[in-house]
Amino acid sequence: MHKKGIMRQAGPLLLARGAATVLGFALPLLLVRLLDQTSFGVYKQVWLVASSAFLMLQMGLTASLYYFVPRRDGNGAAYLTQSLATVSVFGALGGLGVYLARFALAGHFNTPELADFAAPMALITFTMTASTPLEPALLAGGQVKLSAATNFVSEIVRVVASIVPLLLGYGLAGFFWAYVAHGVLRCVACCVLLAYRGGPRIDWKLFGGQLAYALPFGAALLFETPQRNLHLWAVGGTVKAAAFAIYTQGCFQLPIVNLLYSPISDVLQVRLNEPGGRAQAVHLFHDANLRLAVILLPFTACMIAAGSLFIPGLFTHQYDASIPIFRVAVLSALFAALPLDATLRALGQTRYMFNVFFWRLLVTAAFVLSGLHFFGMMGAISGHLIAEGLVRTVMLDHIRKELGSSWRDMLPWGELRRVAIASIAASVPVVAITRYAYSGARPLLAFFAAGAAYGVVYLGILAFHPGPGTPLERLKRMLFGAREEAAPIVAPASVTARAA
């Protein structure tokens, strides 16, 4: 049976998350104008604590829904109940821990006022964690459009509720309590979904199997999340809140990375776990990789070339010191072109993920702390990227072996080379515009002009490269893939056996 390509199946998610991204992207732009640099730094510190805790406290239970629910074995209500109950307990414990550690956290960040926001910080941690399974449960159950719509509505409520308290003069306290209210609404939505799915229902035998799958991955996240944020914690412990604001804005990632990576990798994992999915594993990995690369490679090249327009255009010239940090940090988008984590979870390689994430944390700590000591904030972000690149190469090699593929066949090298050449070539007009407009009064307008020039050149190169069909057909094929998948690629016997 033919199915849509991954990009087309993820279309509703991309559309809804794209619309939500427009709203969410406006939030930091407004905050840097409504808050002074120190207050903005405090906001980033609170968010770093809450988001780090929330990512670790899920313990793999949310991700397990992508593994178990697509089997359509009639146990979806049990898997959802077990996930919601477990992450709620972990979220409550984590929120309590954050509250009890409020003075230690304030001391680490050299920000005594951080302790004043301990209560909302703890409740944000709890509600974020407890409501995490909402959209994944809908997507894993085949309700792609409803999952996308839920994400969009949730983002609307979050952004509006965040800005209104600031405009009314309630300051950071009102801002954080609005985040709490948003989280409570998401928890209510989870309860409604659970009732609709026929729950609550717990099957202890199924729960044991779910924990056996989830906990190794969840334990891996206990290493992965600190590794991802280690450079932020390290820098935050050595500078004041204002300087931390400079660093975090340099590490700012446009939402396009999560906008693309999350839905495509989620759909990839679901497809790999559907009947017959393992037989097409290499083909599906190629499809996901190319769909990500065709956007993320040019995005990275454009951001490096236009960084001196992007930062002041969005965050004012008050954050010009963030520009060199941003040009290094944006390279992390290249790593998102490889959907490694989703593939490993789909293959049931959660124990391997535990091991590799442990070593990645150690490698990252060595590079980040050494870089911070010798080269300051630039050394911290550079060390993070070097460590990430090394470990991701090891992970890709492991997946290659699991799929029985050679390096020559593991990635769509020809298409990737074409995308890389087009990405670099399209940077030429951007560099010219940036040099001319950097000192101008309207950097954001110049950035849009540079982006438009980049897009025209990049898409033109892709459209007119040699190949069958018209230029428009070639462009659609590169961006969205074939309308229907090719015949299944037969997997090695070892992979087929593991799938069985």
Side-chain angles (χ1 to χ4, degrees), residues 267-282:
V267 170
L268 172 63
Q269 186 174 350
V270 171
R271 291 288 296 277
L272 287 171
N273 280 302
E274 288 177 341
R278 300 293 179 86
Q280 300 187 65
V282 175

Side-chain angles (χ1 to χ4, degrees), residues 166-469:
L166 293 178
L167 295 177
L168 294 178
Y170 290 103
L172 277 180
F175 174 84
F176 291 133
W177 281 110
Y179 260 67
V180 174
H182 169 257
V184 171
L185 289 176
R186 285 182 55 84
C187 290
V188 172
C190 287
C191 294
V192 173
L193 175 61
L194 182 60
Y196 175 78
R197 290 281 177 86
R201 174 193 163 200
I202 294 180
D203 185 310
W204 294 107
K205 182 177 180 180
L206 293 177
F207 191 29
Q210 190 176 11
L211 290 176
Y213 171 87
L215 291 182
F217 173 65
L221 288 179
L222 296 179
F223 301 131
E224 194 267 350
T225 302
Q227 178 272 334
R228 181 189 301 175
N229 294 328
L230 178 64
H231 65 108
L232 294 170
W233 285 91
V235 171
T238 59
V239 300
K240 296 294 185 180
F244 186 66
I246 292 290
Y247 183 75
T248 55
Q249 292 308 84
C251 296
F252 176 81
Q253 286 189 349
L254 274 168
I256 189 173
V257 177
N258 287 331
L259 171 66
L260 287 171
Y261 183 83
S262 295
I264 290 178
S265 61
D266 290 348
V267 170
L268 172 63
Q269 186 174 350
V270 171
R271 291 288 296 277
L272 287 171
N273 280 302
E274 288 177 341
R278 300 293 179 86
Q280 300 187 65
V282 175
H283 172 73
L284 291 171
F285 189 85
H286 279 197
D287 192 10
N289 171 231
L290 189 56
R291 301 290 77 76
L292 290 166
V294 77
I295 302 297
L296 295 180
L297 264 66
F299 162 77
T300 303
C302 182
M303 287 297 101
I304 292 174
S308 57
L309 297 176
F310 175 78
I311 292 295
L314 267 65
F315 307 119
T316 74
H317 283 290
Q318 185 181 13
Y319 288 89
D320 277 358
S322 301
I323 294 173
I325 298 173
F326 174 77
R327 282 183 163 143
V328 175
V330 76
L331 289 170
S332 64
L334 296 176
F335 299 135
L338 293 170
L340 303 178
D341 293 1
T343 306
L344 288 170
R345 292 197 300 268
L347 296 174
Q349 294 288 305
T350 53
R351 292 188 179 182
Y352 170 78
M353 295 180 74
F354 174 84
N355 292 328
V356 76
F357 284 6
F358 170 75
W359 288 107
R360 185 165 68 174
L361 175 59
L362 296 184
V363 172
T364 299
F367 278 96
V368 167
L369 295 179
S370 298
L372 180 62
H373 177 76
F374 290 106
F375 304 105
M377 292 192 294
M378 282 292 291
I381 188 59
S382 299
H384 173 79
L385 290 176
I386 292 171
E388 187 74 9
L390 291 173
V391 176
R392 281 187 171 267
T393 300
V394 173
M395 293 169 67
L396 179 60
D397 184 59
H398 180 81
I399 291 175
R400 178 189 67 80
K401 293 176 181 177
E402 283 294 311
L403 299 181
S405 176
S406 65
W407 274 108
R408 180 178 180 179
D409 298 327
M410 188 60 209
L411 297 175
W413 295 107
E415 291 88 347
L416 291 177
R417 181 169 57 250
R418 188 178 304 134
V419 170
I421 292 172
S423 300
I424 295 172
S427 299
V428 175
V430 177
V431 172
I433 294 173
T434 300
R435 288 184 176 180
Y436 174 78
Y438 170 66
S439 58
R442 297 181 177 179
L444 186 58
L445 182 62
F447 173 75
F448 287 145
Y454 186 96
V456 170
V457 176
Y458 174 70
L459 295 177
I461 294 174
L462 291 186
F464 289 98
H465 75 270

